Amino acid sequence: MFVATKLPENTKVSGWVQMLPERTPNPSLSKSINVDVAIIGAGFAGLSAARRLSQCNPKLRVAVLEAGEIAAGAAGRNSGFIIDLPHEVSSDEYAGSDAGPTRRHIMINRTAIQLASDVAQERGWGKDVFDPCGKYNIAMSAQGDEHISSYAKQLDALKEPYRLLDSRQVADVTGTTAFTSAIFTPGTIIVQPAAYVRGLADSLKGGVKIYEKTPALSLEAVGKEWRIKTPQGAVTAGKVILANNGHAESFGIYRGLLMHVFTYASMTEEFSPARLGGDRSWAATPAFPMGTTVRRVRGERGDRILIRSRYTYNPRLKISENDVERAGRVHDRKFDARFPTLKGVQMEHRWGGAMALTWNGVPAYGEIESGLFAACACNGVGATKATALGIAAADSILGIKSELLAAFGQFEAPKSLPPQPFLTIGAKANLGFREWRAGKE
Ligand SMILES: Cc1cc2nc3c(=O)[nH]c(=O)nc-3n(C[C@H](O)[C@H](O)[C@H](O)COP(=O)(O)OP(=O)(O)OC[C@H]3O[C@@H](n4cnc5c(N)ncnc54)[C@H](O)[C@@H]3O)c2cc1C
């Protein structure tokens, strides 16, 4: 029997949710039910698994249990990059291999992008929700410029298209002279993440039912089935997909293997587009992975800037409002350094959210007990990786021998984290060092 010792706590509401109209959540589970598949968690992984299951077999009875509301968790709190290409290319591909780990990652990412694109097409979304506009990887220092040139060589080896931009060309796009160079890659999708996950949830058909404000409290094997307790009813299911990312460990699963790291975002109030030249909508990740993500979000009444940076290690899986405010002060400095012409524009929304990393960067994935499947450990890029994990978990249950499933089968198992207190000391020192190394970026 696995008992949840912690449930998700979301500090502050993300700007993305606040920009959307009010929504009535799906009713909570209020009685005991029997289903074929129960999914714990309605983020990218859980909802994508449900979609794949119902598409392949509309008759399957699927229950998705979400502790909070759709889009209140990390899936509706992120920066909205559904990224196709990894940040670093492995040395195998440098040597010209066609089948190395980077190619595998790209295939995994593109499978996720395909699912997202199908949802976008079905729902008829405009660019305000789903924009296949690509992304910039952007530098602010000589060190960052070096990273950009080296990344261009890696992309050459992979035969992936890109465009290099010098400081003047970046200024034409961003409306600021703060950036020194950039590389544009066309395959990333940029979404309004809260609108995307809500739409993904609403796209579910067939036998899928979502129960919001319905935390799974315990999980127990009873004969050949699994019984999940929730506050007002139990779910008996032939198969279970654990799609609750770091909270898998709250059930004692993957104990000592998941590192709980939070990251933070601030979003400005709307400002008149006349105050900042360049394109009215663009999205940039930093040249150094631990640096600052920036987006300009075009709105009907004005535009906003999103700044995402800071990482903190929070093994208790929660952060305080003070943590968000502290990160916010860093965001303000980053904003001022990048957009001096927007002096006086205030941050309207600030928030933080959880990610689950493994020591060796692999997913926590697979059939961990008979009929119990895990699709966890987003490693910070869950919009793609967790989506793909969800699809793969569904394929596993459906007995589909997909290329995706084979790719996940090739990952090694998550490596043990160092014991406490060395883990806390090491994680904090490592995050601090890497943020320091990212410097201005
Ligand atoms: C500020 C920020 C920016 C980010 N930017 C990006 C980005 O641009 N691109 C990207 O790819 N990634 C980004 N990420 C990371 C991304 O959001 C996560 O990787 C992703 O949300 C993980 O998806 P998931 O489905 O695995 O988990 P989650 O999205 O965390 O979903 C898990 C769900 O499980 C639910 N749950 C947990 N326990 C229980 C329980 N006991 N019972 C029922 N439900 C439960 C939770 O409430 C949650 O809704 C960012 C994260 C943050 C915080």
Side-chain angles (χ1 to χ4, degrees), residues 7-8 40-45 65-67 74-75 77-81 214-216 243-245 247 251 263 308 353 355 378 380-383 386:
L7 291 174
I40 300 177
F44 292 109
L65 309 177
E66 169 52 50
R77 290 178 167 251
N78 57 77
S79 310
F81 290 68
T214 304
N244 56 350
N245 210 16
H247 275 286
F251 285 93
T263 188
R308 201 270 333 129
M355 303 184 299
C378 65
V381 282

PDB file of all heavy atoms in Angstrom, residues 7-8 40-45 65-67 74-75 77-81 214-216 243-245 247 251 263 308 353 355 378 380-383 386, ligand 1:
ATOM      1  N   LEU A   7       0.531  16.351  -0.360  1.00  0.00           N
ATOM      2  CA  LEU A   7      -0.279  16.669  -1.553  1.00  0.00           C
ATOM      3  C   LEU A   7       0.228  17.984  -2.123  1.00  0.00           C
ATOM      4  O   LEU A   7       0.839  18.773  -1.401  1.00  0.00           O
ATOM      5  CB  LEU A   7      -1.760  16.771  -1.168  1.00  0.00           C
ATOM      6  CG  LEU A   7      -2.401  15.432  -0.761  1.00  0.00           C
ATOM      7  CD1 LEU A   7      -3.817  15.652  -0.250  1.00  0.00           C
ATOM      8  CD2 LEU A   7      -2.418  14.440  -1.924  1.00  0.00           C
ATOM      9  N   PRO A   8      -0.033  18.240  -3.407  1.00  0.00           N
ATOM     10  CA  PRO A   8       0.508  19.465  -4.009  1.00  0.00           C
ATOM     11  C   PRO A   8      -0.039  20.733  -3.359  1.00  0.00           C
ATOM     12  O   PRO A   8      -1.217  20.784  -3.008  1.00  0.00           O
ATOM     13  CB  PRO A   8       0.038  19.387  -5.456  1.00  0.00           C
ATOM     14  CG  PRO A   8      -0.594  18.077  -5.649  1.00  0.00           C
ATOM     15  CD  PRO A   8      -0.778  17.412  -4.349  1.00  0.00           C
ATOM     16  N   ILE A  40      -3.289   9.309 -12.170  1.00  0.00           N
ATOM     17  CA  ILE A  40      -3.140  10.237 -11.039  1.00  0.00           C
ATOM     18  C   ILE A  40      -2.344  11.447 -11.526  1.00  0.00           C
ATOM     19  O   ILE A  40      -1.158  11.342 -11.840  1.00  0.00           O
ATOM     20  CB  ILE A  40      -2.433   9.543  -9.850  1.00  0.00           C
ATOM     21  CG1 ILE A  40      -3.268   8.341  -9.396  1.00  0.00           C
ATOM     22  CG2 ILE A  40      -2.213  10.537  -8.704  1.00  0.00           C
ATOM     23  CD1 ILE A  40      -2.657   7.529  -8.279  1.00  0.00           C
ATOM     24  N   GLY A  41      -3.003  12.599 -11.607  1.00  0.00           N
ATOM     25  CA  GLY A  41      -2.340  13.824 -12.048  1.00  0.00           C
ATOM     26  C   GLY A  41      -2.822  14.255 -13.424  1.00  0.00           C
ATOM     27  O   GLY A  41      -2.802  13.463 -14.376  1.00  0.00           O
ATOM     28  N   ALA A  42      -3.288  15.517 -13.518  1.00  0.00           N
ATOM     29  CA  ALA A  42      -3.768  16.037 -14.810  1.00  0.00           C
ATOM     30  C   ALA A  42      -2.878  17.170 -15.291  1.00  0.00           C
ATOM     31  O   ALA A  42      -3.326  18.277 -15.546  1.00  0.00           O
ATOM     32  CB  ALA A  42      -5.211  16.490 -14.690  1.00  0.00           C
ATOM     33  N   GLY A  43      -1.579  16.883 -15.389  1.00  0.00           N
ATOM     34  CA  GLY A  43      -0.645  17.804 -16.038  1.00  0.00           C
ATOM     35  C   GLY A  43      -0.429  17.319 -17.468  1.00  0.00           C
ATOM     36  O   GLY A  43      -1.278  16.628 -18.053  1.00  0.00           O
ATOM     37  N   PHE A  44       0.721  17.671 -18.038  1.00  0.00           N
ATOM     38  CA  PHE A  44       1.013  17.240 -19.413  1.00  0.00           C
ATOM     39  C   PHE A  44       0.984  15.717 -19.529  1.00  0.00           C
ATOM     40  O   PHE A  44       0.424  15.171 -20.475  1.00  0.00           O
ATOM     41  CB  PHE A  44       2.397  17.732 -19.840  1.00  0.00           C
ATOM     42  CG  PHE A  44       2.500  19.220 -20.001  1.00  0.00           C
ATOM     43  CD1 PHE A  44       3.217  19.974 -19.090  1.00  0.00           C
ATOM     44  CD2 PHE A  44       1.891  19.868 -21.058  1.00  0.00           C
ATOM     45  CE1 PHE A  44       3.324  21.347 -19.235  1.00  0.00           C
ATOM     46  CE2 PHE A  44       1.993  21.233 -21.214  1.00  0.00           C
ATOM     47  CZ  PHE A  44       2.714  21.983 -20.297  1.00  0.00           C
ATOM     48  N   ALA A  45       1.621  15.040 -18.561  1.00  0.00           N
ATOM     49  CA  ALA A  45       1.751  13.582 -18.670  1.00  0.00           C
ATOM     50  C   ALA A  45       0.385  12.914 -18.566  1.00  0.00           C
ATOM     51  O   ALA A  45       0.011  12.096 -19.424  1.00  0.00           O
ATOM     52  CB  ALA A  45       2.692  13.066 -17.580  1.00  0.00           C
ATOM     53  N   LEU A  65      -7.570  11.627 -12.045  1.00  0.00           N
ATOM     54  CA  LEU A  65      -7.749  12.237 -10.721  1.00  0.00           C
ATOM     55  C   LEU A  65      -6.761  13.381 -10.564  1.00  0.00           C
ATOM     56  O   LEU A  65      -5.551  13.183 -10.665  1.00  0.00           O
ATOM     57  CB  LEU A  65      -7.475  11.205  -9.616  1.00  0.00           C
ATOM     58  CG  LEU A  65      -8.221   9.875  -9.743  1.00  0.00           C
ATOM     59  CD1 LEU A  65      -7.796   8.914  -8.633  1.00  0.00           C
ATOM     60  CD2 LEU A  65      -9.733  10.100  -9.705  1.00  0.00           C
ATOM     61  N   GLU A  66      -7.258  14.572 -10.329  1.00  0.00           N
ATOM     62  CA  GLU A  66      -6.379  15.738 -10.165  1.00  0.00           C
ATOM     63  C   GLU A  66      -6.607  16.325  -8.770  1.00  0.00           C
ATOM     64  O   GLU A  66      -7.735  16.659  -8.410  1.00  0.00           O
ATOM     65  CB  GLU A  66      -6.665  16.770 -11.269  1.00  0.00           C
ATOM     66  CG  GLU A  66      -6.015  18.130 -11.070  1.00  0.00           C
ATOM     67  CD  GLU A  66      -4.515  18.100 -10.799  1.00  0.00           C
ATOM     68  OE1 GLU A  66      -3.767  17.442 -11.529  1.00  0.00           O
ATOM     69  OE2 GLU A  66      -4.101  18.750  -9.813  1.00  0.00           O
ATOM     70  N   ALA A  67      -5.499  16.468  -8.039  1.00  0.00           N
ATOM     71  CA  ALA A  67      -5.597  16.968  -6.658  1.00  0.00           C
ATOM     72  C   ALA A  67      -6.166  18.386  -6.624  1.00  0.00           C
ATOM     73  O   ALA A  67      -6.959  18.725  -5.744  1.00  0.00           O
ATOM     74  CB  ALA A  67      -4.223  16.932  -6.002  1.00  0.00           C
ATOM     75  N   ALA A  74       2.065  22.919 -12.153  1.00  0.00           N
ATOM     76  CA  ALA A  74       3.187  23.337 -13.006  1.00  0.00           C
ATOM     77  C   ALA A  74       2.809  23.408 -14.489  1.00  0.00           C
ATOM     78  O   ALA A  74       3.314  24.261 -15.228  1.00  0.00           O
ATOM     79  CB  ALA A  74       4.359  22.381 -12.821  1.00  0.00           C
ATOM     80  N   ALA A  75       1.877  22.542 -14.922  1.00  0.00           N
ATOM     81  CA  ALA A  75       1.522  22.539 -16.354  1.00  0.00           C
ATOM     82  C   ALA A  75       0.911  23.876 -16.789  1.00  0.00           C
ATOM     83  O   ALA A  75       1.004  24.245 -17.956  1.00  0.00           O
ATOM     84  CB  ALA A  75       0.561  21.383 -16.651  1.00  0.00           C
ATOM     85  N   ARG A  77       1.806  26.734 -15.221  1.00  0.00           N
ATOM     86  CA  ARG A  77       2.671  27.752 -14.596  1.00  0.00           C
ATOM     87  C   ARG A  77       3.978  27.936 -15.349  1.00  0.00           C
ATOM     88  O   ARG A  77       4.852  28.664 -14.896  1.00  0.00           O
ATOM     89  CB  ARG A  77       3.092  27.261 -13.189  1.00  0.00           C
ATOM     90  CG  ARG A  77       2.013  27.242 -12.255  1.00  0.00           C
ATOM     91  CD  ARG A  77       2.387  26.727 -10.900  1.00  0.00           C
ATOM     92  NE  ARG A  77       1.278  27.091 -10.083  1.00  0.00           N
ATOM     93  CZ  ARG A  77       1.281  28.018  -9.147  1.00  0.00           C
ATOM     94  NH1 ARG A  77       2.393  28.598  -8.800  1.00  0.00           N
ATOM     95  NH2 ARG A  77       0.186  28.327  -8.518  1.00  0.00           N
ATOM     96  N   ASN A  78       4.163  27.188 -16.425  1.00  0.00           N
ATOM     97  CA  ASN A  78       5.493  27.213 -17.056  1.00  0.00           C
ATOM     98  C   ASN A  78       5.593  28.354 -18.055  1.00  0.00           C
ATOM     99  O   ASN A  78       4.696  29.173 -18.181  1.00  0.00           O
ATOM    100  CB  ASN A  78       5.791  25.850 -17.687  1.00  0.00           C
ATOM    101  CG  ASN A  78       4.747  25.465 -18.681  1.00  0.00           C
ATOM    102  OD1 ASN A  78       4.717  25.965 -19.793  1.00  0.00           O
ATOM    103  ND2 ASN A  78       3.831  24.598 -18.276  1.00  0.00           N
ATOM    104  N   SER A  79       6.700  28.380 -18.795  1.00  0.00           N
ATOM    105  CA  SER A  79       6.907  29.499 -19.727  1.00  0.00           C
ATOM    106  C   SER A  79       6.324  29.214 -21.105  1.00  0.00           C
ATOM    107  O   SER A  79       6.391  30.065 -21.998  1.00  0.00           O
ATOM    108  CB  SER A  79       8.399  29.801 -19.867  1.00  0.00           C
ATOM    109  OG  SER A  79       8.981  29.912 -18.610  1.00  0.00           O
ATOM    110  N   GLY A  80       5.817  28.005 -21.299  1.00  0.00           N
ATOM    111  CA  GLY A  80       5.096  27.708 -22.534  1.00  0.00           C
ATOM    112  C   GLY A  80       5.954  27.322 -23.726  1.00  0.00           C
ATOM    113  O   GLY A  80       5.508  27.408 -24.862  1.00  0.00           O
ATOM    114  N   PHE A  81       7.190  26.854 -23.488  1.00  0.00           N
ATOM    115  CA  PHE A  81       8.045  26.405 -24.601  1.00  0.00           C
ATOM    116  C   PHE A  81       7.862  24.892 -24.766  1.00  0.00           C
ATOM    117  O   PHE A  81       8.209  24.137 -23.863  1.00  0.00           O
ATOM    118  CB  PHE A  81       9.524  26.663 -24.303  1.00  0.00           C
ATOM    119  CG  PHE A  81       9.923  28.112 -24.309  1.00  0.00           C
ATOM    120  CD1 PHE A  81       9.468  28.982 -23.332  1.00  0.00           C
ATOM    121  CD2 PHE A  81      10.781  28.600 -25.284  1.00  0.00           C
ATOM    122  CE1 PHE A  81       9.851  30.310 -23.322  1.00  0.00           C
ATOM    123  CE2 PHE A  81      11.179  29.932 -25.291  1.00  0.00           C
ATOM    124  CZ  PHE A  81      10.710  30.794 -24.300  1.00  0.00           C
ATOM    125  N   THR A 214      -9.636  16.222  -6.506  1.00  0.00           N
ATOM    126  CA  THR A 214      -9.777  14.827  -6.093  1.00  0.00           C
ATOM    127  C   THR A 214      -8.390  14.210  -5.929  1.00  0.00           C
ATOM    128  O   THR A 214      -7.884  13.522  -6.818  1.00  0.00           O
ATOM    129  CB  THR A 214     -10.605  14.031  -7.152  1.00  0.00           C
ATOM    130  OG1 THR A 214     -11.862  14.694  -7.330  1.00  0.00           O
ATOM    131  CG2 THR A 214     -10.833  12.599  -6.735  1.00  0.00           C
ATOM    132  N   PRO A 215      -7.741  14.480  -4.799  1.00  0.00           N
ATOM    133  CA  PRO A 215      -6.401  13.920  -4.626  1.00  0.00           C
ATOM    134  C   PRO A 215      -6.444  12.409  -4.383  1.00  0.00           C
ATOM    135  O   PRO A 215      -7.348  11.917  -3.694  1.00  0.00           O
ATOM    136  CB  PRO A 215      -5.895  14.644  -3.365  1.00  0.00           C
ATOM    137  CG  PRO A 215      -7.119  15.086  -2.635  1.00  0.00           C
ATOM    138  CD  PRO A 215      -8.165  15.340  -3.684  1.00  0.00           C
ATOM    139  N   ALA A 216      -5.503  11.702  -4.958  1.00  0.00           N
ATOM    140  CA  ALA A 216      -5.337  10.285  -4.625  1.00  0.00           C
ATOM    141  C   ALA A 216      -4.622  10.241  -3.278  1.00  0.00           C
ATOM    142  O   ALA A 216      -3.550  10.837  -3.133  1.00  0.00           O
ATOM    143  CB  ALA A 216      -4.507   9.603  -5.703  1.00  0.00           C
ATOM    144  N   ALA A 243       1.050   9.939 -12.826  1.00  0.00           N
ATOM    145  CA  ALA A 243       1.498  11.057 -13.679  1.00  0.00           C
ATOM    146  C   ALA A 243       1.565  12.313 -12.828  1.00  0.00           C
ATOM    147  O   ALA A 243       1.137  13.380 -13.238  1.00  0.00           O
ATOM    148  CB  ALA A 243       0.534  11.234 -14.842  1.00  0.00           C
ATOM    149  N   ASN A 244       2.113  12.145 -11.624  1.00  0.00           N
ATOM    150  CA  ASN A 244       2.118  13.295 -10.699  1.00  0.00           C
ATOM    151  C   ASN A 244       3.536  13.782 -10.428  1.00  0.00           C
ATOM    152  O   ASN A 244       3.807  14.367  -9.385  1.00  0.00           O
ATOM    153  CB  ASN A 244       1.377  12.957  -9.403  1.00  0.00           C
ATOM    154  CG  ASN A 244       1.937  11.739  -8.709  1.00  0.00           C
ATOM    155  OD1 ASN A 244       2.756  11.026  -9.287  1.00  0.00           O
ATOM    156  ND2 ASN A 244       1.513  11.497  -7.499  1.00  0.00           N
ATOM    157  N   ASN A 245       4.432  13.542 -11.388  1.00  0.00           N
ATOM    158  CA  ASN A 245       5.795  14.071 -11.366  1.00  0.00           C
ATOM    159  C   ASN A 245       6.452  13.853  -9.997  1.00  0.00           C
ATOM    160  O   ASN A 245       6.456  12.740  -9.505  1.00  0.00           O
ATOM    161  CB  ASN A 245       5.748  15.559 -11.784  1.00  0.00           C
ATOM    162  CG  ASN A 245       7.023  15.987 -12.485  1.00  0.00           C
ATOM    163  OD1 ASN A 245       7.815  15.158 -12.922  1.00  0.00           O
ATOM    164  ND2 ASN A 245       7.254  17.278 -12.599  1.00  0.00           N
ATOM    165  N   HIS A 247       5.544  14.269  -7.069  1.00  0.00           N
ATOM    166  CA  HIS A 247       4.703  13.730  -5.995  1.00  0.00           C
ATOM    167  C   HIS A 247       4.606  12.206  -6.031  1.00  0.00           C
ATOM    168  O   HIS A 247       3.986  11.618  -5.148  1.00  0.00           O
ATOM    169  CB  HIS A 247       3.319  14.389  -5.998  1.00  0.00           C
ATOM    170  CG  HIS A 247       3.327  15.680  -5.247  1.00  0.00           C
ATOM    171  ND1 HIS A 247       3.372  15.738  -3.870  1.00  0.00           N
ATOM    172  CD2 HIS A 247       3.357  16.965  -5.669  1.00  0.00           C
ATOM    173  CE1 HIS A 247       3.398  16.995  -3.475  1.00  0.00           C
ATOM    174  NE2 HIS A 247       3.405  17.765  -4.550  1.00  0.00           N
ATOM    175  N   PHE A 251       4.275   9.262  -2.381  1.00  0.00           N
ATOM    176  CA  PHE A 251       3.714   7.926  -2.126  1.00  0.00           C
ATOM    177  C   PHE A 251       4.820   6.930  -1.734  1.00  0.00           C
ATOM    178  O   PHE A 251       4.583   5.744  -1.672  1.00  0.00           O
ATOM    179  CB  PHE A 251       3.013   7.398  -3.381  1.00  0.00           C
ATOM    180  CG  PHE A 251       1.674   8.024  -3.662  1.00  0.00           C
ATOM    181  CD1 PHE A 251       1.568   9.122  -4.492  1.00  0.00           C
ATOM    182  CD2 PHE A 251       0.520   7.510  -3.090  1.00  0.00           C
ATOM    183  CE1 PHE A 251       0.341   9.696  -4.763  1.00  0.00           C
ATOM    184  CE2 PHE A 251      -0.721   8.081  -3.358  1.00  0.00           C
ATOM    185  CZ  PHE A 251      -0.817   9.182  -4.189  1.00  0.00           C
ATOM    186  N   THR A 263      11.214  26.561  -9.907  1.00  0.00           N
ATOM    187  CA  THR A 263      11.659  27.738 -10.640  1.00  0.00           C
ATOM    188  C   THR A 263      10.519  28.758 -10.657  1.00  0.00           C
ATOM    189  O   THR A 263       9.392  28.445 -10.282  1.00  0.00           O
ATOM    190  CB  THR A 263      12.180  27.393 -12.049  1.00  0.00           C
ATOM    191  OG1 THR A 263      12.769  28.566 -12.620  1.00  0.00           O
ATOM    192  CG2 THR A 263      11.095  26.897 -12.970  1.00  0.00           C
ATOM    193  N   ARG A 308      11.534  34.439 -16.608  1.00  0.00           N
ATOM    194  CA  ARG A 308      11.609  33.202 -15.794  1.00  0.00           C
ATOM    195  C   ARG A 308      13.060  32.948 -15.427  1.00  0.00           C
ATOM    196  O   ARG A 308      13.916  32.813 -16.307  1.00  0.00           O
ATOM    197  CB  ARG A 308      11.057  32.019 -16.608  1.00  0.00           C
ATOM    198  CG  ARG A 308      10.609  30.826 -15.845  1.00  0.00           C
ATOM    199  CD  ARG A 308      11.634  29.716 -15.567  1.00  0.00           C
ATOM    200  NE  ARG A 308      12.707  29.620 -16.534  1.00  0.00           N
ATOM    201  CZ  ARG A 308      14.000  29.596 -16.193  1.00  0.00           C
ATOM    202  NH1 ARG A 308      14.383  29.666 -14.935  1.00  0.00           N
ATOM    203  NH2 ARG A 308      14.926  29.541 -17.127  1.00  0.00           N
ATOM    204  N   GLY A 353       6.894  27.252  -9.407  1.00  0.00           N
ATOM    205  CA  GLY A 353       6.314  25.928  -9.628  1.00  0.00           C
ATOM    206  C   GLY A 353       7.366  24.836  -9.556  1.00  0.00           C
ATOM    207  O   GLY A 353       8.567  25.091  -9.670  1.00  0.00           O
ATOM    208  N   MET A 355       9.406  21.224 -10.253  1.00  0.00           N
ATOM    209  CA  MET A 355       9.896  20.316 -11.297  1.00  0.00           C
ATOM    210  C   MET A 355      10.552  19.129 -10.582  1.00  0.00           C
ATOM    211  O   MET A 355      11.010  19.281  -9.457  1.00  0.00           O
ATOM    212  CB  MET A 355      10.945  21.013 -12.151  1.00  0.00           C
ATOM    213  CG  MET A 355      10.419  22.284 -12.792  1.00  0.00           C
ATOM    214  SD  MET A 355      11.602  23.043 -13.896  1.00  0.00           S
ATOM    215  CE  MET A 355      12.937  23.395 -12.824  1.00  0.00           C
ATOM    216  N   CYS A 378      10.041  15.096 -15.010  1.00  0.00           N
ATOM    217  CA  CYS A 378      10.030  15.885 -16.242  1.00  0.00           C
ATOM    218  C   CYS A 378      11.411  16.433 -16.597  1.00  0.00           C
ATOM    219  O   CYS A 378      11.656  16.832 -17.715  1.00  0.00           O
ATOM    220  CB  CYS A 378       9.072  17.053 -16.069  1.00  0.00           C
ATOM    221  SG  CYS A 378       9.618  18.242 -14.798  1.00  0.00           S
ATOM    222  N   GLY A 380      12.578  19.195 -15.995  1.00  0.00           N
ATOM    223  CA  GLY A 380      12.525  20.618 -16.325  1.00  0.00           C
ATOM    224  C   GLY A 380      11.938  20.952 -17.677  1.00  0.00           C
ATOM    225  O   GLY A 380      11.701  22.111 -17.968  1.00  0.00           O
ATOM    226  N   VAL A 381      11.718  19.945 -18.506  1.00  0.00           N
ATOM    227  CA  VAL A 381      11.154  20.229 -19.841  1.00  0.00           C
ATOM    228  C   VAL A 381       9.904  19.374 -20.074  1.00  0.00           C
ATOM    229  O   VAL A 381       9.777  18.681 -21.083  1.00  0.00           O
ATOM    230  CB  VAL A 381      12.188  20.016 -20.973  1.00  0.00           C
ATOM    231  CG1 VAL A 381      13.141  21.185 -21.066  1.00  0.00           C
ATOM    232  CG2 VAL A 381      12.959  18.720 -20.785  1.00  0.00           C
ATOM    233  N   GLY A 382       8.990  19.484 -19.119  1.00  0.00           N
ATOM    234  CA  GLY A 382       7.838  18.583 -19.121  1.00  0.00           C
ATOM    235  C   GLY A 382       6.830  18.841 -20.223  1.00  0.00           C
ATOM    236  O   GLY A 382       6.064  17.941 -20.574  1.00  0.00           O
ATOM    237  N   ALA A 383       6.806  20.071 -20.779  1.00  0.00           N
ATOM    238  CA  ALA A 383       5.828  20.312 -21.837  1.00  0.00           C
ATOM    239  C   ALA A 383       6.062  19.299 -22.967  1.00  0.00           C
ATOM    240  O   ALA A 383       5.106  18.793 -23.557  1.00  0.00           O
ATOM    241  CB  ALA A 383       5.944  21.742 -22.351  1.00  0.00           C
ATOM    242  N   ALA A 386       7.135  15.272 -20.496  1.00  0.00           N
ATOM    243  CA  ALA A 386       6.026  14.646 -19.761  1.00  0.00           C
ATOM    244  C   ALA A 386       4.905  14.263 -20.733  1.00  0.00           C
ATOM    245  O   ALA A 386       4.259  13.228 -20.565  1.00  0.00           O
ATOM    246  CB  ALA A 386       5.517  15.576 -18.671  1.00  0.00           C
TER     247      ALA A 386
HETATM  248  C1  LIG B   1       7.987  28.804 -13.957  1.00  0.00           C
HETATM  249  C2  LIG B   1       8.169  27.543 -14.753  1.00  0.00           C
HETATM  250  C3  LIG B   1       8.538  27.604 -16.098  1.00  0.00           C
HETATM  251  C4  LIG B   1       8.670  26.422 -16.841  1.00  0.00           C
HETATM  252  N1  LIG B   1       8.877  26.513 -18.197  1.00  0.00           N
HETATM  253  C5  LIG B   1       8.838  25.390 -18.955  1.00  0.00           C
HETATM  254  C6  LIG B   1       8.847  25.479 -20.375  1.00  0.00           C
HETATM  255  O1  LIG B   1       8.825  26.566 -20.958  1.00  0.00           O
HETATM  256  N2  LIG B   1       8.871  24.322 -21.078  1.00  0.00           N
HETATM  257  C7  LIG B   1       8.838  23.098 -20.450  1.00  0.00           C
HETATM  258  O2  LIG B   1       8.875  22.072 -21.128  1.00  0.00           O
HETATM  259  N3  LIG B   1       8.767  22.992 -19.119  1.00  0.00           N
HETATM  260  C8  LIG B   1       8.739  24.101 -18.348  1.00  0.00           C
HETATM  261  N4  LIG B   1       8.597  24.008 -16.989  1.00  0.00           N
HETATM  262  C9  LIG B   1       8.467  22.662 -16.399  1.00  0.00           C
HETATM  263  C10 LIG B   1       7.075  22.069 -16.653  1.00  0.00           C
HETATM  264  O3  LIG B   1       6.059  22.912 -16.192  1.00  0.00           O
HETATM  265  C11 LIG B   1       6.992  20.711 -15.982  1.00  0.00           C
HETATM  266  O4  LIG B   1       8.071  19.968 -16.461  1.00  0.00           O
HETATM  267  C12 LIG B   1       5.680  20.012 -16.327  1.00  0.00           C
HETATM  268  O5  LIG B   1       4.577  20.696 -15.825  1.00  0.00           O
HETATM  269  C13 LIG B   1       5.689  18.581 -15.802  1.00  0.00           C
HETATM  270  O6  LIG B   1       4.530  17.964 -16.294  1.00  0.00           O
HETATM  271  P1  LIG B   1       3.898  16.731 -15.540  1.00  0.00           P
HETATM  272  O7  LIG B   1       2.641  16.385 -16.208  1.00  0.00           O
HETATM  273  O8  LIG B   1       4.927  15.674 -15.369  1.00  0.00           O
HETATM  274  O9  LIG B   1       3.635  17.265 -14.050  1.00  0.00           O
HETATM  275  P2  LIG B   1       2.719  18.433 -13.533  1.00  0.00           P
HETATM  276  O10 LIG B   1       2.482  19.426 -14.580  1.00  0.00           O
HETATM  277  O11 LIG B   1       3.307  18.861 -12.243  1.00  0.00           O
HETATM  278  O12 LIG B   1       1.340  17.674 -13.273  1.00  0.00           O
HETATM  279  C14 LIG B   1       1.204  16.749 -12.226  1.00  0.00           C
HETATM  280  C15 LIG B   1      -0.188  16.907 -11.643  1.00  0.00           C
HETATM  281  O13 LIG B   1      -0.350  15.902 -10.637  1.00  0.00           O
HETATM  282  C16 LIG B   1      -1.171  16.439  -9.637  1.00  0.00           C
HETATM  283  N5  LIG B   1      -0.993  15.618  -8.418  1.00  0.00           N
HETATM  284  C17 LIG B   1       0.093  15.500  -7.631  1.00  0.00           C
HETATM  285  N6  LIG B   1      -0.151  14.643  -6.636  1.00  0.00           N
HETATM  286  C18 LIG B   1      -1.418  14.195  -6.801  1.00  0.00           C
HETATM  287  C19 LIG B   1      -2.241  13.289  -6.090  1.00  0.00           C
HETATM  288  N7  LIG B   1      -1.835  12.659  -4.979  1.00  0.00           N
HETATM  289  N8  LIG B   1      -3.500  13.053  -6.562  1.00  0.00           N
HETATM  290  C20 LIG B   1      -3.949  13.671  -7.685  1.00  0.00           C
HETATM  291  N9  LIG B   1      -3.208  14.549  -8.373  1.00  0.00           N
HETATM  292  C21 LIG B   1      -1.950  14.806  -7.949  1.00  0.00           C
HETATM  293  C22 LIG B   1      -0.697  17.874  -9.498  1.00  0.00           C
HETATM  294  O14 LIG B   1      -1.683  18.704  -8.887  1.00  0.00           O
HETATM  295  C23 LIG B   1      -0.403  18.249 -10.943  1.00  0.00           C
HETATM  296  O15 LIG B   1      -1.483  18.922 -11.549  1.00  0.00           O
HETATM  297  C24 LIG B   1       8.486  25.149 -16.214  1.00  0.00           C
HETATM  298  C25 LIG B   1       8.119  25.095 -14.869  1.00  0.00           C
HETATM  299  C26 LIG B   1       7.943  26.266 -14.147  1.00  0.00           C
HETATM  300  C27 LIG B   1       7.532  26.156 -12.709  1.00  0.00           C
END
